[in-house]
């Protein structure tokens, strides 16, 4: 009878751990929702992004030049997209609850992805001074893309083949992004 009690106790413990993780995931999701809804910083980013989305005018942010207002708007739009990317990482790694987040903002999430897709596509093309050629960095906002696609089949798909590199080295003169090595599990010692 002791093995049965051990099995029951182990099952209850595992269930408790799974439940606690689920509650923590839901709580983290609600915390991030509350934070983004209540902070002035995020509201400002949303205001800038929404104005650009409604005017369909993201493209002029690629070349802000000396215009300080455009440079600030570019930074705000990138920060807004980075927020979605960070949330997407949390969703894909099951740190945040996908269903709660989708129920709360699924439609706007996909709408914003589709609206920014052309902007993101151009951001993925980076001029590499070392090789004097354009490099396509598919990882830029790739988690945002995966989650948008998981939420809706209407989410746009971006690949290197869906656009050409810009005609000449332009843009904010960002350095080409390094190629990251794949994650390799560390051996247990």
């Amino acid at each position: 009878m002791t093995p049965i009690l051990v099995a029951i106790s182990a099952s209850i413990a595992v269930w408790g751990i799974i439940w606690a993780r689920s509650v923590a995931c839901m709580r983290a999701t609600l915390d991030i929702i509350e934070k983004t809804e209540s902070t002035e910083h995020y509201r400002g980013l949303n205001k800038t992004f929404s104005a650009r989305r409604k005017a369909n005018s993201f493209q002029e942010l690629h070349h802000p030049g000396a215009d300080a207002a455009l440079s600030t708007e570019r930074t705000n739009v990138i920060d807004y997209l980075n927020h979605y990317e960070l949330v997407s990482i949390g969703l894909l790694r099951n740190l945040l609850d996908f269903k709660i987040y989708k129920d709360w903002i699924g439609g706007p999430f996909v709408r914003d992805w589709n609206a920014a897709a052309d902007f993101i596509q151009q951001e993925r093309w980076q001029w590499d001074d070392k090789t004097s050629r354009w490099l396509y960095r598919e990882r830029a906002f790739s988690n945002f893309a995966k989650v948008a696609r998981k939420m809706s089949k209407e989410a746009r798909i971006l690949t290197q083949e869906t656009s050409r590199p810009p005609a000449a080295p332009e843009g904010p003169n960002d350095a080409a992004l390094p190629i990251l090595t794949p994650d390799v599990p560390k051996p247990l010692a």
Side-chain angles (χ1 to χ4, degrees):
M1 190 134 99
T2 304
I4 293 173
L5 289 176
V6 170
I8 291 171
S9 297
S11 297
I12 291 171
V14 168
W15 181 83
I17 291 169
I18 291 169
W19 177 252
R21 187 182 188 298
S22 175
V23 169
C25 187
M26 288 186 267
R27 188 171 291 143
T29 306
L30 294 174
D31 286 347
I32 201 164
I33 289 169
E34 189 279 326
K35 182 174 175 122
T36 56
E37 289 295 313
S38 66
T39 63
E40 288 302 316
H41 173 73
Y42 182 78
R43 286 181 181 196
L45 298 178
N46 186 339
K47 182 178 178 182
T48 300
F49 183 89
S50 294
R52 287 286 168 179
R53 178 181 49 79
K54 289 173 185 171
N56 193 22
S57 61
F58 290 109
Q59 293 304 321
E60 66 186 37
L61 298 179
H62 288 296
H63 316 290
D67 188 326
L70 278 181
S71 291
T72 298
E73 285 189 46
R74 174 183 165 72
T75 299
N76 288 349
V77 165
I78 295 287
D79 287 351
Y80 188 80
L81 296 173
N82 281 335
H83 168 76
Y84 274 143
E85 181 71 2
L86 183 61
V87 167
S88 297
I89 290 168
L91 292 169
L92 293 170
R93 294 194 177 199
N94 297 316
L95 301 172
L96 298 173
D97 187 279
F98 186 86
K99 183 176 178 351
I100 290 173
Y101 194 80
K102 182 180 177 185
D103 287 349
W104 173 61
I105 198 169
F109 187 95
V110 175
R111 177 203 59 208
D112 289 350
W113 165 258
N114 285 340
D118 291 333
F119 177 78
I120 290 168
Q121 185 71 333
Q122 187 156 344
E123 289 298 304
R124 287 180 171 187
W125 287 104
Q126 295 283 319
W127 180 255
D128 186 1
D129 287 327
K130 293 177 189 171
T131 63
S132 296
R133 65 184 182 99
W134 288 101
L135 301 175
Y136 186 76
R137 300 297 188 210
E138 191 167 358
R139 286 189 64 156
F141 302 107
S142 63
N143 296 292
F144 184 12
K146 286 175 195 170
V147 171
R149 192 71 182 151
K150 191 173 177 181
M151 286 187 183
S152 173
K153 297 301 176 199
E154 293 180 24
R156 290 185 55 193
I157 298 172
L158 302 180
T159 65
Q160 184 172 349
E161 291 74 33
T162 59
S163 75
R164 298 174 194 226
E170 301 180 52
N173 296 325
D174 290 341
L177 300 172
I179 295 172
L180 300 177
T181 56
D183 292 336
V184 179
K186 295 179 183 168
L188 297 174

